[in-house]
Amino acid sequence: MTEFTFRCTGVRADAYAAGPTLVFRLRITASDETPVHALALRCQIRIEPARRGYDPAEADGLTDLFGERSRWGSTLHAVQFAQVPLMVPGFTGETETDLVVPCTYDMDVAATRYFHALFAGEVPLLLLFSGTAFTGAAGFRVEPVPWDREAAFRMPVKVWQEMVDQHFPGCGWIRLPAATLDTLLAYRSRRALPSWEATVEELLDTAGERTAP
């Protein structure tokens, strides 16, 4: 069977995507110079939070994910980031290709909350690969890509921040049930408030929870 190895050589935010998107650059190597007609891959990306350190402010932002810092020895488990398919065109020996990963800024998603809590440094990622390879010098044969193919990569936090700023500059968003949103809209309309920001600020003022800029 053909042996495949994978390496992630970089990542960038796609400035022209309709929504937040990261593009990982992959280098794929096939053993014995075997002609590869195509690769149909499944890629799972995990965050491995135990592989980096955190300052006190970051640790506070991660409390809802992992609990108090004193418990991190048992709670700092891997976080699922993405699962994406990838079709790789034919090559012999080695090739490079882009892995396009659509992202979300939904704060109900654990990976988003993790990224949001970080200020600097790198995010330790593990890319796991499996799928099907179509290989052969004469004709073709079908081979599995084993489940143990993987590549570790440390993504700069600033890449995530740049991606978010491209689509939500200086902002964020939260998802609310339709009934709650209808109630907020009625509240806003009764008080003739000009924006959602003004609506939330008035509610915070009423509750005495407003934080000075």
Side-chain angles (χ1 to χ4, degrees):
M1 288 179 56
T2 306
E3 288 290 329
F4 292 97
T5 58
F6 298 86
R7 182 183 174 197
C8 184
T9 61
V11 63
R12 60 181 172 84
D14 189 341
Y16 303 103
T21 303
L22 293 174
V23 181
F24 293 86
R25 190 67 175 171
L26 297 181
R27 181 174 297 156
I28 305 171
T29 303
S31 64
D32 303 325
E33 295 294 316
T34 303
V36 178
H37 304 300
L39 280 175
L41 296 174
R42 295 180 295 275
C43 180
Q44 179 182 159
I45 307 177
R46 296 177 184 170
I47 300 166
E48 297 196 309
R51 291 174 49 211
R52 64 157 281 167
Y54 304 90
D55 65 27
E58 290 174 331
D60 289 344
L62 294 170
T63 300
D64 66 328
L65 285 179
F66 305 120
E68 296 298 327
R69 194 162 193 162
S70 60
R71 300 176 52 218
W72 281 12
S74 59
T75 63
L76 214 60
H77 300 308
V79 176
Q80 182 74 12
F81 175 29
Q83 292 194 62
V84 289
L86 176 64
M87 287 297 302
V88 182
F91 67 96
T92 298
E94 186 175 270
T95 189
E96 291 198 0
T97 189
D98 286 337
L99 177 67
V100 179
V101 180
C103 302
T104 178
Y105 198 41
D106 185 347
M107 295 300 288
D108 284 340
V109 176
T112 302
R113 297 207 303 277
Y114 178 85
F115 289 127
H116 183 75
L118 305 183
F119 301 126
E122 298 173 326
V123 179
L125 300 176
L126 185 65
L127 288 74
L128 304 167
F129 300 93
S130 62
T132 304
F134 302 91
T135 67
F140 73 90
R141 63 180 181 270
V142 179
E143 304 179 28
V145 177
W147 283 93
D148 62 353
R149 304 295 90 178
E150 62 184 41
F153 181 68
R154 302 186 73 86
M155 181 180 76
V157 172
K158 66 179 181 180
V159 175
W160 173 270
Q161 295 169 342
E162 289 170 1
M163 179 195 71
V164 171
D165 287 342
Q166 287 172 4
H167 297 274
F168 307 102
C171 302
W173 65 275
I174 56 175
R175 183 175 58 187
L176 296 173
T180 303
L181 193 58
D182 288 343
T183 302
L184 280 173
L185 181 58
Y187 180 92
R188 174 180 171 178
S189 297
R190 287 196 302 271
R191 287 160 175 76
L193 296 168
S195 66
W196 287 114
E197 180 181 0
T199 303
V200 174
E201 287 177 348
E202 180 171 299
L203 288 169
L204 290 173
D205 287 338
T206 302
E209 296 290 340
R210 180 77 175 275
T211 302

